[in-house]
Amino acid sequence: MTTIPDPRPPSTAPAALRFSGVEVRRGQRTVLSGVDLAIPAGSVTVVLGPSGAGKSTLMHAATGALPLAAGRIEVLGEPLPTRLRPLFALRRRIGVLLQGSGLLSDLSVGENVALPLRAHTRLPEALLQRVVAMKLNAVGLAEAAGLSPQQLSGGMTRRVALARALVLDPPLMLYDEPLTGLDPIACGVILDLIRRLNDTLGLTSVVITHDVEDGLAIADRAVVVANRGIVFDGTPAALRDSRDPLLRQFLDGTPDGPIAFDYAGADRRSTASRPALPPEPAA
Ligand SMILES: Nc1ncnc2c1ncn2[C@@H]1O[C@H](COP(=O)(O)OP(=O)(O)OP(=O)(O)O)[C@@H](O)[C@H]1O
Ligand SMILES: [Mg+2]
């Protein structure tokens, strides 16, 4: 993979998530190769890229759900453990919001949010209920604890899932397509929440999204995944201004260009002809 020179001064914030020379295979395919990436603590980073490029794979690798073929990943300053017990302990410190909400329909909203607390802590019931109420309040659904998930709109459902992902106070939040299926207003609400929760709770957030403009609007940094690696890592402004043909193809949504259509069996494709990116201006 071509590595992109990053002329920006190194961030003074420690990395909450660091990939070094990471390669991930799925089946016989190399999905990501030579990935070097550092996500500064306290930042909101959007991860963009064409479908099938490996964005979710990047996230699953960060939680230790996928083995690495090469390289290493550090999460919150620790190398990703290979043994299960320390891996599970580290995962409690990572809040993950997947594309579907994953709420259990036969439990109330409050009990859905309480699930991780019941599984991982021994909080007395009264305290547990207070924590649940606080998290529902944080996502603007203080009154919803007694409702059933079937009584919620899509946007409300996503906010309950967000409250549940936050309930163990994880310092790192990973969002995989949190906006899918939501109308523009609900998308705005969720993105605004992601930004505000990041800043008020002092989190680090990584948001995979196809919603380029709205995602960039709340982000400190943008990362573009394509052609098996990271093809951009910089500020939203630098991405918008980029004249690189590969990035322009993605940003402008044009079908033909240097981004190859990625599919199982496409491994014979060469990425050697991918153009080098110009240096990004200092942030
Ligand atoms: N469970 C799996 N087994 C084998 N290959 C897989 C599996 N999941 C994904 N892949 C392959 O890995 C590649 C990257 O998939 P990934 O889900 O990371 O893409 P993505 O960038 O998140 O795409 P999207 O934007 O559509 O969610 C895909 O092209 C697919 O061929
Ligand atoms: Mg995905």
Side-chain angles (χ1 to χ4, degrees):
M1 185 204 98
T2 309
T3 48
I4 304 159
D6 187 351
R8 291 169 301 157
S11 169
T12 47
L17 191 55
R18 186 186 296 279
F19 291 70
S20 311
V22 167
E23 178 171 322
V24 185
R25 296 196 190 126
R26 302 196 97 167
Q28 297 302 306
R29 305 191 59 216
T30 301
V31 174
L32 295 170
S33 165
V35 171
D36 293 316
L37 181 64
I39 305 285
S43 64
V44 174
T45 299
V46 284
V47 178
L48 308 167
S51 192
K55 304 178 298 296
S56 298
T57 299
L58 199 66
M59 195 176 106
H60 293 310
T63 62
L66 289 174
L68 305 187
R72 59 185 259 132
I73 297 178
E74 281 173 37
V75 182
L76 301 165
E78 287 178 45
L80 203 55
T82 44
R83 288 185 15 255
L84 281 187
R85 189 183 280 262
L87 181 63
F88 289 157
L90 182 63
R91 277 195 192 152
R92 268 178 242 165
R93 306 184 63 215
I94 309 175
V96 177
L97 194 70
L98 295 175
Q99 195 165 321
S101 70
L103 297 187
L104 301 181
S105 56
D106 46 358
L107 294 182
S108 69
V109 161
E111 276 309 305
N112 267 285
V113 176
L115 271 179
L117 290 171
R118 296 202 187 282
H120 296 294
T121 72
R122 293 180 184 191
L123 285 185
E125 187 61 25
L127 193 52
L128 182 143
Q129 293 301 341
R130 282 204 58 166
V131 175
V132 168
M134 275 166 49
K135 298 302 176 190
L136 282 173
N137 191 42
V139 299
L141 289 174
E143 310 297 321
L147 296 180
S148 145
Q150 287 100 323
Q151 293 173 282
L152 306 178
S153 71
M156 290 163 79
T157 304
R158 209 60 62 81
R159 278 148 68 192
V160 173
L162 182 47
R164 188 176 61 182
L166 284 165
V167 80
L168 294 172
D169 289 326
L172 174 63
M173 286 294 297
L174 306 178
Y175 300 89
D176 195 354
E177 305 281 0
L179 310 178
T180 304
L182 301 183
D183 69 49
I185 294 173
C187 287
V189 169
I190 295 285
L191 283 173
D192 186 55
L193 251 180
I194 289 173
R195 179 78 243 185
R196 277 194 298 120
L197 290 168
N198 188 81
D199 297 347
T200 53
L201 302 177
L203 313 177
T204 304
S205 304
V206 180
V207 186
I208 298 173
T209 182
H210 283 283
D211 195 332
V212 177
E213 264 318 306
D214 289 342
L216 290 179
I218 61 135
D220 304 303
R221 293 160 42 83
V223 166
V224 181
V225 181
N227 294 355
R228 295 186 206 162
I230 308 294
V231 295
F232 178 88
D233 178 5
T235 62
L239 179 59
R240 284 196 198 94
D241 293 347
S242 173
R243 302 177 71 89
D244 177 80
L246 185 152
L247 296 174
R248 288 265 53 104
Q249 182 200 348
F250 170 66
L251 293 169
D252 302 337
T254 40
D256 295 321
I259 294 178
F261 174 56
D262 216 345
Y263 58 100
D267 283 345
R268 62 192 179 281
R269 189 193 64 241
S270 164
T271 55
S273 60
R274 178 149 53 81
L277 299 182
E280 298 301 334

